[in-house]
Amino acid sequence: MPSCRPLRAGWGSRMDQHTVLTGIGISGGIGIGRVVVLPEFDFDTSKQKADPEEASRFLNAVAALSAAIGQKQETAGAEQAEILESHMMLLGDPSISAEAQRIIEAENCNSEYAVDQVFETYAALFLASGDELFAARAADLRDIKNNLLLILDGKALFDVESLPPGSVLVAREVTTTVAAGINPDNVCALVTREGGATSHTAIIARSLGLPGVAGVSRIEAGSQVIVDGNRGKVILNPTSKVLETYRGLQEEQKARKQTLEAYRGLESVTTDGKSMVLFANIGLVTDIAHAVAADAEGIGLFRTEFLYMNRSTAPSEEEQFTAYKQVATAFAEKPVIVRTLDVGGDKEIAYLGIEKEENPFLGWRAIRFCLERQGLFHTQLRAILRASAFGRVKIMLPMISCASELKRAKALIEEVKRELSAGGILLNQQIEVGIMIETPAAVLMVDYFAQEADFFSIGTNDLTQYIMAVDRGNQNVAQLCSVYQPAMLRAIYQVAQAANRHGIECGICGEAGADPLLTRFFIGCGVHELSMTSNAILGIRERVRSGRYEVAKERVAAGIHTLRDVEQAAAFLQSI
């Protein structure tokens, strides 16, 4: 195994004989152990003249990586094997492989250059979206790229499976390949130099239930550390007194986790009988197991765009039908809300031919794109409607901003229904069609939309960015992009109240759904459903069951129009 080099960056404060490094908490919990630093390599991907057998060299590297991944699959658990399978599919994607070979032959260049060019092009498209699930796909592509470069350089993949118990894995970023080999019985925490709360490593850490801190560096291999994912701190060489304190906190958190297990299988209902349904968000069929294990009461957001990614052509009707049916069947009579294709703008898929736009968030995206590319939309609607015969599937239309969009989309759905029925294909003729409320226009037109849609789902991520006129990926204005902004809280209240007036359900499917500070606010607004990352469900259920609906309703109604700033709003939310 090649030697590793220490990570770089500044130190934190000194406390007695130990050092405290401050970063960003990306996954809650406390881990205590010894540092293992993931090796890093500087690859030379500059363009050079090809060797006589360059094409074979590239194909041999692909075959070697496929074999290595295959070996890992044999010993991996079911969930980790599925992750590795997605890498096998990406590695075997003919469009990616063919493009690399084309560059090698057309430009008479080395494999390293071709691999870097192709994988970086695809990864950049996904990373530009700012969406955590799309960013995860970009990380997968770069992971494969680096593994290919390792093999081309004659090096072996990192053997994370053999790490001893009590290992704290430190890296620039934890890749999917490494993550698939992590045994939580041996690895007790993750620390990275890069990333944040929605980074690929954060997703991995939370899915494995490991404490994680990002934005921290200069940690030597072998050091004893405490990783505090709750406070975003890493303590180097802790004193015996500090160790004793944190071991006590560990025990408290284990007890807390065990306490939450008491909420498994219970209804999400307030003390005075008001129900709140807790759903999970998913992006891939492989996420189903997480949602089921987390005791989700259904799927509040199936991001179907992932079915269209990492490939050179759109998925067929049969491919989509199989995926939608699998989710519907897994949840039987529980609702599964399928969002129709949400691409364009910041979510680019090369083969769809969407031109570069100056203002992609305000451009040709989501329902606007689908209504103009009706062949693509028609295929997806057929697949969703066919799957509706196997469970409580609902259709959700994204980015609705005017009446004509909803009217045209509903007309297409009715057309596809008639077509399927004429062919003798089973479907739910009464399938519910709802819309995402994620534009200011939809908020202002909410009473009209409540008469035309079967349900609402508030996409708090996009709605915050549009209401506050803030690019959520721009760090210079990030402080403005908060769901705690009074304007956002008023918008949510207005939408939920309109839904209740017209007798339709209103849900939350943005990141705010997993925020316990907002739970009772949502209850008081009259929100019916919250959809969130799977591992947040039991904690939010506890929060729901410990509050009173009538109290929350009165406090929200009395205070919602008095708020002037985020600080005042935070105090208001605490008081509900």
Side-chain angles (χ1 to χ4, degrees), residues 1-2 41 43 57 61 112 146-157:
M1 183 59 56
F41 303 95
F43 298 106
R57 182 169 172 258
E112 288 84 350
N146 288 333
N147 286 335
L148 280 173
L149 292 174
L150 270 175
I151 290 172
L152 287 167
D153 200 33
K155 295 181 173 67
L157 303 185

Side-chain angles (χ1 to χ4, degrees), residues 29-102:
I30 295 167
I32 302 173
R34 296 277 174 185
V35 169
V36 176
V37 180
L38 191 67
E40 295 182 36
F41 303 95
D42 293 320
F43 298 106
D44 182 2
T45 57
S46 61
K47 190 173 184 180
Q48 299 175 25
K49 186 176 180 181
D51 288 339
E53 302 296 325
E54 195 66 54
S56 296
R57 182 169 172 258
F58 167 73
L59 292 175
N60 289 339
V62 171
L65 181 54
S66 296
I69 293 175
Q71 286 182 338
K72 286 178 177 287
Q73 281 182 299
E74 291 176 6
T75 57
E79 180 182 325
Q80 292 167 316
E82 287 182 352
I83 294 172
L84 292 169
E85 180 61 29
S86 69
H87 273 222
M88 289 286 272
M89 292 175 65
L90 286 170
L91 189 60
D93 188 313
S95 63
I96 295 176
S97 180
E99 179 62 12
Q101 291 180 76
R102 185 197 67 76

Side-chain angles (χ1 to χ4, degrees), residues 487-504:
M488 263 302 294
L489 297 179
R490 290 188 193 191
I492 292 169
Y493 182 72
Q494 181 178 336
V495 171
Q497 290 291 294
N500 281 279
R501 282 196 302 274
H502 293 277
I504 67 171

Side-chain angles (χ1 to χ4, degrees), residues 89-90 92-96 122 125-126 137 141 304-320 348-352:
M89 292 175 65
L90 286 170
D93 188 313
S95 63
I96 295 176
Y122 279 91
L125 292 175
F126 298 139
R137 299 286 76 75
L141 287 164
T304 61
E305 49 271 22
F306 276 95
L307 298 174
Y308 293 74
M309 297 168 67
N310 301 330
R311 55 191 301 144
S312 55
T313 58
S316 67
E317 179 184 325
E318 283 304 314
E319 286 179 87
Q320 295 187 65
E348 300 178 17
I349 297 177
Y351 64 80
L352 293 180

Side-chain angles (χ1 to χ4, degrees), residues 17 61 89 109 186 205 337 386 543:
Q17 298 176 14
M89 292 175 65
C109 66
N186 294 340
I337 300 176
R386 286 174 58 194
R543 183 76 172 157

Side-chain angles (χ1 to χ4, degrees), residues 324-352:
Y324 305 145
K325 178 185 174 183
Q326 192 170 342
V327 181
T329 303
F331 284 91
E333 293 304 310
K334 296 176 180 178
V336 172
I337 300 176
V338 180
R339 182 174 70 185
T340 58
L341 183 60
D342 186 3
V343 293
D346 64 333
K347 298 171 184 174
E348 300 178 17
I349 297 177
Y351 64 80
L352 293 180

Side-chain angles (χ1 to χ4, degrees), residues 281 508-519 522 530-537 539-540:
N281 295 335
I508 302 288
C509 67
E511 290 178 14
D515 186 343
L517 185 59
L518 288 163
T519 303
F522 293 140
L530 300 177
S531 194
M532 63 201 74
T533 181
S534 295
N535 61 9
I537 288 173
I540 296 299

Side-chain angles (χ1 to χ4, degrees), residues 387-415:
S388 72
F390 297 88
R392 285 186 61 192
V393 175
K394 302 182 182 185
I395 296 174
M396 182 159 69
L397 305 170
M399 194 70 182
I400 295 291
S401 58
C402 62
S404 62
E405 291 170 338
L406 180 56
K407 184 177 180 180
R408 289 175 64 194
K410 288 176 69 176
L412 283 170
I413 292 169
E414 290 303 316
E415 179 184 316

